[in-house]
Amino acid sequence: MELHDVWFVLIAVLWIGYFFLEGFDFGVGVLTKLLARNRPEKRVLINTIGPVWDGNEVWLLSAGGATFAAFPEWYATLFSGFYLPLLIILVSLIVRGVAFEYRAKRPEEKWQRNWENAIFWCSLIPAFLWGVAFGNIVRGVKIDQNFEYVGNVWDLLNPYALLGGVVTLTLFTFHGAVFTALKTVGDIRERARKLALWVGLLTAVAALAFLLWTQVRDGNGWSLIALVVAVVALVAALGANQRGREGWSFAFSGVTIVAAVAMLFLSLFPDVMPSSLNADWSLTVSNASSSPYTLKIMTWCAAIATPIVLLYQSWTYWVFRKRIGTQHIADPVH
């Protein structure tokens, strides 16, 4: 295995980590409208992810930075061709971060309601658009002989990619619901478990259709294994949720995300961005990568920095591991 192959795997791992972690806090953001019945319950939901949401986004920055450094051609074509949806995601993430920080700065109900709406929409939109983006990456887009995207934004709104968006939105919402059940006490915990069942069933239908479509189009033996793992894990997550085993349910929903994203990358390799115009114009791990010297330096840097990041995030989750409920909200006005 050459270094560009190693970095393809590492970038896949970074995206898997991002979707596993940011997936549940996107889901919790969506649940602020679907689950919370009043302002204290919205505060409970927001407080479950308050200490960790910004740390989860480190994985996105790492994935984007690693792509830029290891595969500059991939980065250039992806970010120029997908400019509008990626810009919408970026703006949503910025507004979402501001909303978390500014929501409680003033006591007026209108002020807080507006920021709560921002949290909801700026969680829902990226959760959907990430699926659309990755659906198009796997499906292939209009790339010419100069490795430049020559399509338009409407080409990205095809049935396969839109189904991918539905899958990520429902899967992240399910992941967020089981996380909420794991992190809360009282009535909101029970309602989160019930909602997780219905969202999980919807996720199962959409995910099975999307993953089977992917396997038929671009799959191989390894991607088939990942598909089976994703399906089995989702069923196990639903079963554990019904038995009130929130920890196992969250773990299995996480495995579902890991296996589903891994399947997309396994279906993609050795391409990093296929061309729908001519297979010879596709970006691959070899023609889109940086020099071996650059990849070697990156490998040493990653070997040093990655354990530090993992230790820091693990410590954060350990410190904020306890359940919370409305009784822990000191001032229900805010």
Side-chain angles (χ1 to χ4, degrees), residues 77 82 136-137 139-143 149 155-156 273-277:
T77 304
F82 292 27
N136 277 293
I137 292 172
R139 174 181 177 269
V141 292
K142 294 180 179 179
I143 299 175
Y149 180 72
D155 294 326
L156 304 178
M273 206 165 178
S275 172
S276 60
L277 300 178

Side-chain angles (χ1 to χ4, degrees), residues 61-333:
L61 299 176
S62 300
T67 304
F68 172 76
F71 298 100
E73 289 283 357
W74 184 13
Y75 182 93
T77 304
L78 175 64
F79 279 75
S80 59
F82 292 27
Y83 182 82
L84 182 58
L86 291 178
L87 177 63
I88 294 172
I89 290 173
L90 178 60
V91 172
S92 296
L93 293 178
I94 293 172
V95 173
R96 184 170 176 265
V98 172
F100 282 128
E101 299 297 333
Y102 274 58
R103 177 188 169 277
K105 297 299 183 184
R106 290 171 54 179
E108 293 88 350
E109 181 178 351
K110 182 178 180 181
W111 170 272
Q112 295 187 3
R113 185 172 62 250
N114 288 339
W115 286 120
E116 288 164 0
N117 288 334
I119 291 173
F120 170 75
W121 288 108
C122 293
S123 298
L124 184 149
I125 291 171
F128 176 76
L129 288 181
W130 279 128
V132 174
F134 271 84
N136 277 293
I137 292 172
V138 175
R139 174 181 177 269
V141 292
K142 294 180 179 179
I143 299 175
D144 65 11
Q145 65 272 25
N146 298 314
F147 301 137
E148 295 180 359
Y149 180 72
V150 293
N152 56 57
V153 68
W154 302 112
D155 294 326
L156 304 178
L157 302 179
N158 54 80
Y160 175 79
L162 292 174
L163 179 58
V166 172
V167 171
T168 51
L169 175 58
T170 55
L171 182 55
F172 292 169
T173 305
F174 172 68
H175 197 40
V178 295
F179 177 79
T180 300
L182 176 64
K183 286 287 293 178
T184 58
V185 294
D187 182 57
I188 193 170
R189 174 188 177 189
E190 297 302 319
R191 285 189 281 115
R193 285 177 51 201
K194 292 178 181 178
L195 182 61
L197 172 62
W198 295 107
V199 176
L201 292 174
L202 178 61
T203 302
V205 173
L208 184 60
F210 179 73
L211 296 180
L212 286 175
W213 193 347
T214 303
Q215 180 65 28
V216 170
R217 276 180 47 90
D218 307 293
N220 50 55
W222 291 108
S223 64
L224 180 60
I225 294 173
L227 186 156
V228 172
V229 171
V231 172
V232 171
L234 182 55
V235 172
L238 286 167
N241 177 72
Q242 285 301 99
R243 294 193 300 273
R245 303 295 297 274
E246 291 98 346
W248 282 107
S249 183
F250 179 72
F252 282 125
S253 69
V255 172
T256 304
I257 293 175
V258 170
V261 179
M263 180 189 175
L264 297 183
F265 278 94
L266 289 168
S267 301
L268 190 60
F269 186 81
D271 291 337
V272 295
M273 206 165 178
S275 172
S276 60
L277 300 178
N278 188 326
D280 294 334
W281 299 343
S282 297
L283 290 169
T284 67
V285 292
S286 56
N287 67 22
S289 69
S290 294
S291 67
Y293 182 69
T294 300
L295 296 178
K296 186 176 181 179
I297 293 175
M298 290 177 60
T299 303
W300 281 107
C301 292
I304 296 170
T306 302
I308 297 174
V309 173
L310 292 175
L311 286 172
Y312 140 76
Q313 282 212 290
S314 299
W315 178 80
T316 302
Y317 278 92
W318 175 255
V319 169
F320 296 101
R321 66 189 182 277
K322 292 184 178 180
R323 295 176 183 265
I324 61 173
T326 53
Q327 66 270 31
H328 300 113
I329 303 300
D331 184 359
V333 175

